[in-house]
């Protein structure tokens, strides 16, 4: 198989290749004989075009031809072109010397188009044939030697050497054959009379004329020529034109007169009567035209289609009554009408298109065909819809559909594009085709949270595992590219890993508390939740969730003073002279909760004398409500409830003991109330210290006196002054030593022990005479002052 690439259309191809260089890479032509067997290999087109034959299948290689016959196929494994249907040159091209079939090899991914042609070579598969099997000639016996008698030539549908090349006449007594070329290129075949005829000797002569073609082996056809020898001679008809030519519009209706041929015969009578008949015409012409044998009028009898045949060449024979004839050529040119709409063929469509395809991506290849010629077949093509696509013309009648912008599946996922093709005939015809394709998803959207940030409110003491909030993110991508998974970003809160506090449901975005929270430990904290899609690679975004704990009233008010536990005992002294609205004591309490839950209020729930004391609802201050009267009970007990403002409120109670007295001595029974406990140790030590000091002092005096008595032996010197010794420190009978009577045993000191935890609760009540001390001083003495007072009182006793 020889390659005959690069025809004169090469330059057209090259100039078009600039427009679309990647779709056409070369032009390959195969020259093949007609009538090859089905499956015969014409050549390896993949190799000739430089395409890797291994990719043919993946690239959906296929062959497209203009018509609907598939003359050849491509073997997707080997890249070979094979014959698929009978290729008959005579049917395809009849007498055209060059018979070319055009094909396109279309490949996808990337789209590519390669044109190739098959040059169909003639083989000698047709024999010459004469219009008729028998030719009848009538020749007068008077005809001279050398006279010529025309015979219709033979015809061979093959061309070139395979067409008729020579004529030969069966050897006979009277005739030879002479062939000369006509001005129009036709052959003129004539019998030449070689020996004069004698009717009396032989009335009829039959010779066989053979036409041979130049094929190898040659083929031939014959005609029998019957010559009847007549008494007289006449003239053959003569056409008044050598060639008749007419132009007929295609689709001309039946009975349209195309033209009329006229031949005249010089003879008169029947000898001059000319009849007409077709001497040679194609089968197509036979179906399209009729010839009136008397008038020579050629009329339309069938459909005339320019696209099928643009020109008819017919031979018409004119014959007189004696059979003498001549012929003429009738050429009927068919004029094109715009009777064919363009046809849009979708040669390739990349569907779906990925949404990130850059602008200019080729989406499809469209071929537009209009079988009309010239303007009627020139087609313009455009896209109707306002879509981001355009058509770019590549090779003649081929358009590539390219994107003009990046597509976004999330905005529009399907496109219906209407391609409209209009020819330039007048009136013009048009066609449209809707191309449907969809946009394939690419993971180009991160999940987006519906809010900038989230807050989750949770009450403390929540149940572990309870849900405390919800985050939601949207991802408009398709399927797994838009499937959102939630997770917690790792982190630490006050040293705790976030995951030990909360968890997030990967599918639903519900946030759960992992454990019970304590508002007193965290008031709020921040976590970060990530939303990730399932694409590859995945995209993600994150959001902050503020977890805000709210306080629950879970802490009782705690009373700091007075201590509420029953083991200790505390009494406040209230002087009898106290006036109304004086502060006598204060309940101090705190609450670990916050806000309302820690807003404390104080109430007296039980009291010895309900009218006597009131408590400040908010400050816990206990005040007298009225002046104290003599009739009031000395020992007053208040039960105070401290309540917070939570829902429900929590409360604690304490007991406040009050003693209405100016003098502790008045209430000796109170001593019974004293109970020993750890906090009174200090007091005990003080007593011990005082007793020690006093004992030491007494011992010192006694020793001093004893020494003096022993030294001076002066009995009057026991006491030279009034020496008062507190009776309490003396042996019981030691009091009135000298009978001065000045020392009364009324002095005592009274360590009146209180049991409060604070040192201020310690009170040392010193002895005093009525009216010598302001009433409220009792409550205000510090320890040191009390100690001084003790010394004072000893001095006082000495003085007294
Ligand atoms: C495209 O055409 C099809 C069928 O006619 C129709 O179902 C679809 O909705 C159309 N799409 C658009 C985007 O117009
Ligand atoms: C998701 O996106 C990727 C590219 O990012 C793409 O290859 C894949 O086909 C997409 N998946 C779906 C279901 O569309
Ligand atoms: C969370 O998102 C912010 C911005 O939105 C980004 O800067 C940061 O890197 C993200 N963090 C993680 C862990 O992905």
């Amino acid at each position: 198989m020889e390659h005959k690439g690069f025809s004169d259309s090469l330059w057209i191809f090259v100039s078009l290749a600039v427009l679309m260089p990647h779709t056409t890479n070369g032009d390959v032509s195969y020259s093949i004989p007609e009538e090859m067997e089905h499956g015969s290999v014409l050549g390896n087109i993949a190799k000739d075009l430089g395409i890797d034959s291994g990719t043919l299948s993946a690239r959906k290689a296929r062959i497209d031809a203009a018509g609907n016959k598939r003359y050849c196929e491509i073997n997707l494994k080997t890249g070979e072109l094979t014959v698929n249907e009978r290729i008959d040159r005579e049917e395809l091209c009849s007498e055209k010397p060059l018979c070319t079939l055009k094909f396109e090899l279309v490949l996808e991914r990337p789209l590519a188009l390669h044109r190739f042609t098959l040059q169909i070579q003639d083989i000698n598969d047709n024999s010459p044939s004469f219009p008729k099997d028998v030719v009848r000639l009538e020749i007068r016996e008077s005809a001279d030697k050398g006279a010529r008698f025309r015979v219709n030539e033979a015809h061979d549908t093959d061309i070139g050497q395979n067409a008729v090349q020579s004529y030969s006449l069966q050897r006979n007594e009277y005739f030879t054959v002479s062939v000369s070329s006509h001005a129009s290129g036709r052959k003129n075949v004539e019998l030449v009379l070689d020996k004069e005829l004698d009717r009396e000797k032989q009335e009829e002569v039959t010779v066989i004329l053979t036409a041979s073609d130049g094929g190898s082996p040659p083929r031939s056809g014959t005609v029998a020529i019957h010559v009847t020898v007549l008494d007289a001679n006449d003239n053959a008809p003569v056409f008044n034109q050598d060639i008749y030519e007419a132009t007929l519009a295609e689709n001309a209706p039946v009975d349209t007169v195309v033209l009329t041929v006229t031949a005249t015969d010089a003879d008169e009578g029947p000898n001059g009567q000319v009849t007409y008949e077709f001497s040679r015409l194609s089968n197509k012409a036979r179906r399209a035209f009729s010839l009136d044998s008397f008038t020579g009028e050629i009329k339309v009898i069938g459909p005339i289609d320019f696209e099928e045949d643009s020109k008819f060449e017919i031979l018409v024979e004119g014959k007189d009554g004696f059979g003498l004839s001549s012929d003429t050529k009738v050429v009927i040119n068919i004029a094109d009408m715009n009777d064919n709409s363009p046809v849009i063929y979708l040669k390739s469509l990349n569907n779906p298109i990925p949404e990130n395809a850059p602008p200019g991506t080729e989406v499809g290849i469209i071929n537009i065909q209009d079988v009309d010629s010239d303007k009627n077949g020139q087609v313009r093509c455009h896209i109707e819809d306002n879509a981001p696509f355009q058509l770019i013309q590549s090779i003649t009648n081929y358009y590539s559909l390219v994107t003009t912008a990046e597509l976004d599946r999330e905005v529009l996922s399907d496109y219906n594009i209407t391609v409209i093709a209009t020819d330039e005939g007048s009136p013009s015809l048009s066609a449209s085709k809707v191309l449907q394709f969809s946009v394939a998803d690419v993971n180009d959207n991160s999940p987006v949270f519906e809010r900038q940030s989230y807050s989750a409110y949770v009450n403390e003491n929540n149940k572990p595992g309870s849900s405390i909030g919800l985050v939601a993110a949207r991802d408009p991508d398709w399927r797994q590219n838009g499937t959102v998974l939630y997770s917690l970003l790792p982190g630490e809160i006050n040293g705790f890993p976030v995951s030990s506090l909360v968890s997030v449901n990967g599918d639903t975005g519900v946030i759960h508390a992992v454990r019970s929270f304590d508002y007193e430990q965290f008031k709020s904290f921040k976590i970060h939740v990530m939303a990730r899609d399932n694409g590859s690679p995945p995209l993600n975004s994150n959001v902050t969730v503020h977890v805000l704990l709210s306080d629950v009233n879970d802490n009782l008010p705690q009373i700091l003073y007075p201590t509420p536990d029953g083991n200790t005992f505390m009494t406040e002294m209230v002087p009898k002279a106290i006036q109304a609205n004086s502060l006598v004591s204060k309940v101090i309490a705190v609450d670990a909760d916050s806000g309302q839950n820690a807003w404390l209020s104080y109430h007296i729930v039980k009291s010895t004398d309900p009218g006597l004391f009131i408590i400040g609802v908010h400050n816990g201050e206990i005040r007298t409500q009225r002046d104290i009267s003599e009739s009031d009970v000395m020992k007053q007990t208040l039960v105070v409830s401290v309540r917070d403002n939570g829902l429900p409120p929590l409360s604690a109670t304490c007991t406040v003991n009050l003693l209405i007295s100016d003098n502790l001595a008045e209430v000796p029974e109170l001593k019974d109330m004293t109970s020993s406990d750890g906090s009174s140790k200090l007091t005990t030590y003080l007593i011990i210290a005082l007793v020690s000091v006093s004992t030491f002092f007494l011992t010192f005096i006694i020793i001093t006196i004893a020494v003096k008595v022993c030294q001076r032996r002066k009995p009057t010197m026991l006491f030279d002054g009034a020496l008062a010794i507190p009776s309490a420190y003396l042996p019981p009978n030691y009091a009135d030593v000298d009978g001065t009577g000045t020392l009364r045993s009324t002095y005592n000191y009274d360590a009146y022990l209180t049991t409060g935890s604070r040192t201020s609760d310690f009170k040392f009540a010193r002895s005093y005479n009525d009216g010598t001390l302001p009433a409220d001083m009792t409550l205000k003495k510090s320890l040191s002052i009390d100690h001084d007072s003790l010394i004072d009182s000893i001095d006082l006793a000495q003085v007294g």
Side-chain angles (χ1 to χ4, degrees), residues 21 34 82 95 111 149 154 178 189 195 225 294 330 337 363 393 395 401 606 609 663 674 677 749 770 776:
E34 59 174 331
T82 55
E95 286 170 38
L111 289 171
F149 304 93
S178 151
V189 182
K195 180 186 169 203
I225 302 171
F294 295 106
V330 174
M337 302 295 285
V363 175
Q393 185 164 19
I395 313 162
L401 181 65
K606 202 173 142 202
D609 182 350
N663 193 336
T674 308
D677 90 336
Y749 69 90
D770 288 348
D776 57 348

Side-chain angles (χ1 to χ4, degrees), residues 132 135-139 149-152 226 230 234-237 265 267 270-275 277 317-326:
K132 289 176 186 166
V135 174
R136 296 185 187 283
L137 290 178
E138 291 171 332
I139 302 175
F149 304 93
R150 190 186 150 277
V151 179
N152 284 324
H226 287 280
L230 295 178
D234 68 354
N235 298 296
D265 193 304
D267 295 324
N271 290 350
Q273 190 79 53
V274 181
T275 57
E277 56 188 69
E317 186 181 29
K319 204 165 152 191
D320 66 18
F322 287 110
L324 287 184
S325 69
S326 63

Side-chain angles (χ1 to χ4, degrees), residues 270-429:
N271 290 350
Q273 190 79 53
V274 181
T275 57
Y276 306 94
E277 56 188 69
F278 290 127
S279 76
R280 199 187 99 210
L281 79 171
S282 63
N283 287 338
K284 284 174 187 168
R286 197 182 301 281
R287 289 191 293 268
F289 301 106
S290 69
L291 174 61
D292 188 313
S293 57
F294 295 106
T295 63
E297 201 173 63
I298 295 175
K299 277 189 188 170
V300 175
I301 57 163
I304 307 293
D305 186 1
F306 171 86
E307 285 70 43
E308 198 116 309
D309 295 284
S310 60
K311 187 179 185 180
F312 292 93
E313 285 188 6
I314 300 166
L315 288 185
V316 176
E317 186 181 29
K319 204 165 152 191
D320 66 18
F322 287 110
L324 287 184
S325 69
S326 63
D327 64 2
T328 188
K329 189 174 188 175
V330 174
V331 177
I332 302 171
N333 293 306
I334 308 299
D336 184 39
M337 302 295 285
N338 193 20
D339 61 341
N340 289 283
S341 301
V343 184
I344 302 171
Y345 295 99
L346 183 60
K347 293 285 175 178
S348 178
L349 187 65
N350 277 350
N351 189 23
I353 317 163
E355 59 176 327
N356 61 352
T361 301
E362 215 163 43
V363 175
I365 289 186
I366 291 164
N367 175 225
I368 307 217
Q369 289 175 11
D370 189 326
V371 289
D372 293 325
S373 38
D374 297 330
K375 285 218 154 198
N376 294 337
Q378 280 171 18
V379 180
R380 278 173 297 119
C381 193
H382 68 280
I383 293 174
E384 193 180 50
D385 315 85
N386 189 17
F389 295 93
Q390 67 177 21
L391 286 173
I392 294 179
Q393 185 164 19
S394 44
I395 313 162
T396 324
N397 295 336
Y398 277 88
Y399 294 84
S400 51
L401 181 65
V402 300
T403 57
T404 56
E406 219 171 75
L407 308 179
D408 189 351
R409 192 201 67 83
E410 286 73 42
V411 173
L412 195 54
S413 62
D414 288 287
Y415 284 92
N416 289 342
I417 292 178
T418 311
V419 175
I420 296 187
T422 311
D423 66 27
E424 305 212 331
S426 105
S428 66
L429 297 173

Side-chain angles (χ1 to χ4, degrees), residues 614-663:
I614 57 164
I615 189 160
V617 173
H618 299 302
N619 55 21
E621 288 176 359
I622 299 171
R623 290 173 185 274
T624 51
Q625 219 172 167
R626 58 174 168 80
D627 293 348
I628 290 174
S629 67
E630 281 302 324
S631 61
D632 285 328
V633 181
M634 186 184 281
K635 189 182 147 200
Q636 296 276 344
T637 306
L638 305 178
V639 177
V640 174
S641 153
V642 182
R643 199 166 66 202
D644 62 29
N645 204 25
L647 251 178
L650 295 174
S651 61
T653 54
C654 62
T655 306
V656 180
N657 291 307
L658 299 165
L659 189 63
I660 303 173
S661 172
D662 289 334
N663 193 336

Side-chain angles (χ1 to χ4, degrees), residues 355-356 409 440-444 477-482 534-537:
E355 59 176 327
N356 61 352
R409 192 201 67 83
D441 188 42
V442 164
N443 194 17
D444 57 350
D477 288 325
W478 182 244
R479 298 261 162 88
Q480 71 258 35
N481 290 339
N534 219 0
S536 86

